[in-house]
Structures are given as structure tokens and as C-alpha cells.
């Protein structure tokens, strides 16, 4: 089987190429550190040196192939899920999210999990969340300090965590959730060096790796306690939160009911992925608006007029300029051929969101913040994919964009935003995301 495109061929059968992708020969640990902490500079250099396809070796023993050609990336996203395993490609997340996470399973197991979770994020559910999100957004921005610098990222994290707690559990208060709220902040606040400890049991006995393991253990205790309590509830059918939905659907299905471990893994996935990525996207959005008076003025008018189309364009442009996650991953289950190169089974192919978004071929003046790119016509298909693509596209993408637009409107309706410093903040690696190095520090002035 060959996947034909206008410029390339990805061959899944009758692979004839013998040449494997080129790449640097640095030690694995050095490549891992460069990739984890300095990819913003290193990957463009590698692309210039090796071309559209190049290979890296990353801890703990992964061979990954970066892809930057849009046609090849489209073919990967459209390829059979039996060949391109996204769950195995996301193996780095397994220590935090567990074996059963929708992000870490493949084929039938993944489809079952996605089918169970999808109703919580479809169109009808999104419409039902609007009032709740608006209420939480307006309450959050009323608490923002005036006339003094603060971290926009810290505040957007607080907001998105409250939202996802309400969506997942139906409530966001109580001693157990108060403690969970505090601990989840520690779970997401880790850098590339700490990630290495996820796969090294010896490191987990000391220092920050031990503290992380203890925090994770306590988070699990809280989640299992919440699951046990919810199983005893007699009104599950009347509740619309994700945990109750999972228990209700599981009980009504012909398939075996979800175990506590399966429930835990889906809940922690939603809690972590469902608030950190959106919070970071919002922080980058405010960071860019604060430094662009013209874009800020137009976005403020849009907020006043209820023009959510333009506010959505602002968020999309921030995600283009600062993709929260720089790559998506697919582990290939058999040899494939990309162009004239063989990708052996077991390698992980990584479509590079960051490199495609920064390519002037697709996005003229790619370093400029220009929301107008998304107002009248979107960029060419396949050149903007911050939520991934294909059947594994993030199931919460619509929810994230709705949440971002509502929050942005709440901020701009109430505050004028300026930067703490004129110099832009650089991206910093935080777990698998890329965040503003200083927290997107801004100053807000209440609008009269």
C-alpha cells in the first residue's frame, strides 16, 4: 500500500529504500537535553543541515524521526492506526497518565476510551459549558491585581483548573479537591531533567524525583477516594460531569465496566491535559497582545462587540506563533518508506508543529503576531495543527478554544493590558509543553 500525495510518496508495503534518515551523532543524553530544553534553536538548525526529514536519539532509547513536510505529515495523519501508533508514540507520558489513558492506548482500546469521553466534549456539551465557563472567567478576572506586575500564566492556570475540575467532577470545592488542586500544580511544574526520572527507578529514590513520586502517589489516593465515593452515589444518571458519565455509560454497556485504574487514568489525563495546555495558550495570547497595541485595540473592540470570531483568530495566531506542544508522535509498527528513506519498525515519527508553524512558505512573516491570518481565510490546510491531526486530533480542541475565547473576552472587557517589560519572554520547556519563561508577566489597568 502506498499513500500518494502531490509531492511525496509514503510507502507502507514493498519498502525498497535502504537509506535511513540522517541526523546528529551526539550522545543520546546530549540530544535529549538539547531537544528538551533548546529545541527552539536546535531543530531549525538540524532542518537546515539535514533537510525535511531527520533522526534523533532520545532517552530512554528512542529513535525519533522529525517530519517537516506538510504533505508527508498529512499522509501520516491519514495513515492506518494499525501502522501509526500514537499511544506508543506518547510513551513519555505513561508514568504520569497511566497505561489506560486515552493518550497512551491504540486501536480498539483507544477507540473505546475515546468513545466514552467524546460525549463530554461534543457540540451539545460545549454549549452547556458556556455559562459555567463565563461565570468562572468573570470571577477570575475580578481578582486580578491592578497597576502591578503579575504572572498571567499563573492566573490562567488557576482559571482553567477550576473549569476542568467542574467538568470532570461536577464541583470544584471540598477538602479533597482543594488538596488535589494544590498537588496538580506540582505535577505539571517539571522540566526536562525531571522528566528523565520518570524512567529511572534509582533517581526516584532521591531529590526532586522522590518528591514528585510522593506527590503523584498522593494524587492517586485522592482520585481513588473520589471514584469510590462517586460509585456509591444514587443520582449518577442525573449528573453531567465526566466521572459520572463514565460510570453511567460503563454500567449500561455490554462491555466490562471500567475499573478504578481505568477511571483514574482517564481522569488524570483530563485534569492535566485539560487545563495546562489551555492555560499556556491563554498566557501566550496575553503576552503577545500586551506587546502589540494595534492587535490589542482591535481585540478589545471585538470583546466589547461580542466578536468571538476575531477573538478566536487571536488565540489561533498565538498558538501558531507559540505552539504549546511542539511535536506529535506516532510509533510505526512496521517498516515504512518516506520519499527515498526507510523508517524501521519501532521508530517514532514526529510531525513537527513548531517547524511547520514557523515556515515562511506557509505563514509569511512567521515571527510576526498577525491574527488577521485567521479572520477571512485560514492558512493552507495542514499548516496549522496545534491539536494534532487525523483520528487522534485532541478531543478537547473545541473545548479549549471555547474556553480561551470566553476568558479572553472577560479579560479585555475589564482590563487594559501592558507588558511588565518590553522585551519578549522566551519559551521554556515545562513537562512536554513550552511556556513563557517568566510566566507571561503583565500589568493590568481597569477600564473606566
Amino acid at each position: 500500500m502506498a499513500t500518494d500525495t502531490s509531492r511525496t510518496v509514503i510507502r507502507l508495503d514493498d519498502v525498497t529504500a535502504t537509506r535511513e534518515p540522517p541526523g546528529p551523532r551526539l550522545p543520546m543524553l546530549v540530544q535529549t537535553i538539547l531537544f528538551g530544553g533548546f529545541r527552539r534553536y536546535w531543530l531549525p538548525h538540524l532542518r537546515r543541515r539535514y533537510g525535511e526529514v531527520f533522526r534523533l536519539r532520545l532517552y530512554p532509547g528512542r529513535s525519533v524521526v522529525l517530519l517537516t513536510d506538510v504533505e508527508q505529515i498529512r499522509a501520516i495523519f491519514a495513515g492506518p492506526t494499525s501502522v501509526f501508533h500514537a499511544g506508543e508514540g506518547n510513551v513519555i507520558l505513561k508514568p504520569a497518565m497511566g497505561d489506560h489513558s486515552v493518550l497512551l492506548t491504540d486501536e480498539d482500546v483507544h477507540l473505546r476510551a475515546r468513545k466514552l469521553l467524546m460525549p463530554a466534549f461534543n457540540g451539545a456539551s460545549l454549549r452547556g459549558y458556556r455559562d459555567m465557563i463565563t461565570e468562572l472567567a468573570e470571577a477570575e478576572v475580578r481578582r486580578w491585581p491592578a497597576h502591578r506586575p503579575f504572572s498571567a500564566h499563573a492566573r490562567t492556570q488557576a482559571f482553567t483548573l477550576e473549569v476542568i475540575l467542574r467538568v470532570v467532577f461536577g464541583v470544584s470545592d471540598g477538602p479533597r479537591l482543594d488538596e488535589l488542586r494544590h498537588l496538580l500544580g506540582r505535577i505539571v511544574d517539571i522540566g526536562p531533567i525531571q522528566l528523565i526520572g520518570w524512567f529511572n527507578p534509582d533517581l526516584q529514590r532521591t531529590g526532586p524525583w522522590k518528591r514528585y513520586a510522593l506527590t503523584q502517589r498522593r494524587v492517586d489516593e485522592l482520585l481513588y477516594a473520589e471514584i469510590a465515593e462517586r460509585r456509591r452515589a444514587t443520582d449518577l444518571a442525573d449528573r453531567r460531569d465526566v466521572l459520572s458519565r463514565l460510570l453511567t455509560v460503563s454500567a449500561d454497556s455490554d462491555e466490562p465496566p471500567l475499573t478504578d485504574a481505568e477511571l483514574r487514568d482517564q481522569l488524570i489525563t483530563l485534569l492535566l491535559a485539560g487545563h495546562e495546555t489551555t492555560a499556556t495558550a491563554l498566557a501566550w495570547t496575553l503576552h503577545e497582545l500586551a506587546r502589540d497595541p494595534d492587535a490589542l485595540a482591535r481585540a478589545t473592540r471585538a470583546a466589547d462587540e461580542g466578536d468571538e470570531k476575531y477573538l478566536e483568530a487571536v488565540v489561533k495566531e498565538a498558538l501558531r506563533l507559540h505552539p504549546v506542544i511542539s511535536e506529535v508522535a506516532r510509533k510505526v509498527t512496521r517498516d515504512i518508506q518516506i520519499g527515498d528513506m526507510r523508517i524501521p519498525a519501532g521508530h517514532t515519527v514526529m510531525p513537527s508543529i513548531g517547524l511547520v508553524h514557523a515556515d515562511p512558505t506557509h505563514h509569511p512573516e512567521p515571527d510576526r503576531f498577525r491574527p488577521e491570518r485567521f479572520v477571512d481565510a485560514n492558512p493552507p490546510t495542514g499548516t496549522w495543527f496545534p491539536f494534532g491531526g487525523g483520528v487522534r486530533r485532541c478531543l478537547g480542541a473545541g473545548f479549549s478554544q471555547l474556553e480561551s475565547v470566553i476568558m479572553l473576552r472577560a479579560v479585555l472587557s475589564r482590563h487594559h493590558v501592558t507588558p511588565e517589560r518590553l522585551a519578549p519572554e522566551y519559551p521554556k520547556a515545562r513537562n512536554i509543553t513550552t511556556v513563557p519563561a517568566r510566566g507571561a508577566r503583565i500589568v493590568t489597568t481597569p477600564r473606566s
Side-chain angles (χ1 to χ4, degrees):
M1 172 182 172
T3 301
D4 293 310
T5 70
S6 60
R7 297 168 50 201
T8 61
V9 172
I10 292 185
R11 185 172 294 279
L12 306 181
D13 297 322
D14 301 322
V15 174
T16 58
T18 58
R19 183 171 76 97
E20 294 188 11
R25 297 185 178 182
L26 297 168
M28 180 187 299
L29 184 58
V30 174
Q31 292 194 41
T32 303
I33 292 172
L34 289 171
F35 180 77
F38 304 95
R39 59 161 61 88
R40 177 171 177 259
Y41 309 101
W42 195 45
L43 295 188
H45 164 74
L46 294 179
R47 184 185 188 182
R48 289 190 297 270
R49 180 171 180 180
Y50 297 110
E52 301 287 345
V53 182
F54 53 90
R55 182 172 62 180
L56 304 177
R57 293 181 299 122
L58 305 178
Y59 183 87
R62 288 203 301 167
S63 289
V64 304
V65 178
L66 273 290
L67 305 177
T68 63
D69 180 273
V70 170
E71 300 299 337
Q72 292 174 350
I73 291 171
R74 286 177 184 161
I76 295 295
F77 287 155
T81 57
S82 59
V83 176
F84 300 103
H85 274 190
E88 287 192 87
N90 293 330
V91 67
I92 190 173
L93 300 173
K94 184 174 288 190
M97 296 185 176
D99 294 338
H100 310 288
S101 167
V102 68
L103 296 179
L104 288 154
T105 51
D106 288 297
E107 301 186 51
D108 291 345
V109 177
H110 169 260
L111 288 175
R112 181 196 183 212
R114 193 176 179 95
K115 183 179 178 181
L116 289 172
L117 293 171
M118 185 63 77
F121 299 99
N122 63 18
S125 294
L126 292 181
R127 291 189 291 274
Y129 295 141
R130 177 176 283 273
D131 289 345
M132 177 268 291
I133 295 172
T134 300
E135 176 187 344
L136 291 176
E138 292 177 349
E140 170 59 36
V141 299
R142 283 196 295 269
R143 291 192 288 267
W144 286 15
H147 309 296
R148 64 180 178 84
F150 65 96
S151 166
H153 193 205
R155 297 317 314 158
T156 58
Q157 282 181 301
F159 161 67
T160 58
L161 181 55
E162 292 305 308
V163 171
I164 201 66
L165 283 172
R166 190 78 63 88
V167 169
V168 170
F169 296 117
V171 296
S172 59
D173 53 8
R176 186 180 297 138
L177 295 187
D178 286 344
E179 185 178 359
L180 185 61
R181 182 183 291 107
H182 173 68
L183 294 176
L184 286 174
R186 296 186 190 176
I187 291 286
V188 300
D189 190 15
I190 58 173
I193 300 300
Q194 289 167 291
L195 279 176
I196 292 174
W198 280 6
F199 299 94
N200 191 319
D202 292 334
L203 285 178
Q204 292 173 19
R205 300 189 184 102
T206 184
W209 300 284
K210 180 179 180 179
R211 290 193 294 272
Y212 184 91
L214 291 173
T215 299
Q216 189 175 40
R217 194 173 306 152
R218 180 56 182 160
V219 166
D220 287 350
E221 291 172 356
L222 294 170
L223 288 176
Y224 282 124
E226 191 70 26
I227 291 168
E229 182 177 298
R230 191 63 59 89
R231 284 191 185 279
R232 295 191 294 268
T234 58
D235 61 344
L236 287 179
D238 299 325
R239 301 191 186 199
R240 306 312 302 159
D241 59 90
V242 173
L243 176 54
S244 296
R245 288 177 193 241
L246 289 176
L247 288 170
T248 303
V249 173
S250 178
D252 295 341
S253 173
D254 293 334
E255 298 184 31
L258 293 174
T259 65
D260 284 1
E262 289 175 311
L263 287 167
R264 176 268 175 205
D265 291 354
Q266 305 307 347
L267 294 182
I268 196 66
T269 297
L270 294 176
L271 290 170
L272 295 180
H275 94 275
E276 172 68 3
T277 52
T278 305
T280 302
L282 274 166
W284 280 121
T285 302
L286 292 170
H287 172 272
E288 290 299 330
L289 284 176
R291 284 163 175 75
D292 191 324
D294 291 338
L296 177 62
R298 182 167 180 186
T300 300
R301 287 196 303 273
D304 292 343
E305 297 167 2
D307 182 2
E308 294 194 350
K309 181 177 176 63
Y310 185 76
L311 296 179
E312 183 176 289
V314 171
V315 175
K316 285 182 174 180
E317 174 66 348
L319 281 169
R320 184 201 64 79
L321 193 58
H322 303 285
V324 176
I325 296 174
S326 296
E327 297 84 22
V328 288
R330 304 286 190 270
K331 187 173 183 179
V332 296
T333 59
R334 65 175 189 251
D335 288 10
I336 66 170
Q337 182 171 327
I338 297 180
D340 63 348
M341 285 177 279
R342 176 188 292 266
I343 313 296
H347 280 48
T348 298
V349 292
M350 282 188 171
S352 177
I353 300 171
L355 291 176
V356 173
H357 282 195
D359 191 333
T361 304
H362 311 306
H363 307 283
E365 300 181 284
D367 294 333
R368 284 191 59 197
F369 180 70
R370 292 178 51 234
E372 287 69 25
R373 299 178 204 268
F374 294 91
V375 173
D376 297 322
N378 287 326
T381 302
T383 64
W384 183 84
F385 56 106
F387 300 102
V391 297
R392 296 298 294 246
R393 186 174 186 268
C394 174
L395 60 84
F399 181 82
S400 175
Q401 291 180 82
L402 173 69
E403 190 177 3
S404 297
V405 167
I406 290 174
M407 181 58 166
L408 187 57
R409 184 177 181 183
V411 171
L412 298 180
S413 297
R414 189 176 184 88
H415 298 291
H416 180 70
V417 181
T418 55
E420 180 191 30
R421 299 177 181 175
L422 291 178
E425 296 185 24
Y426 291 104
K428 180 184 75 171
R430 171 175 163 142
N431 51 71
I432 64 167
T433 65
T434 305
V435 303
R438 301 181 60 252
R441 294 183 64 80
I442 60 174
V443 178
T444 56
T445 304
R447 295 176 60 191
S448 57

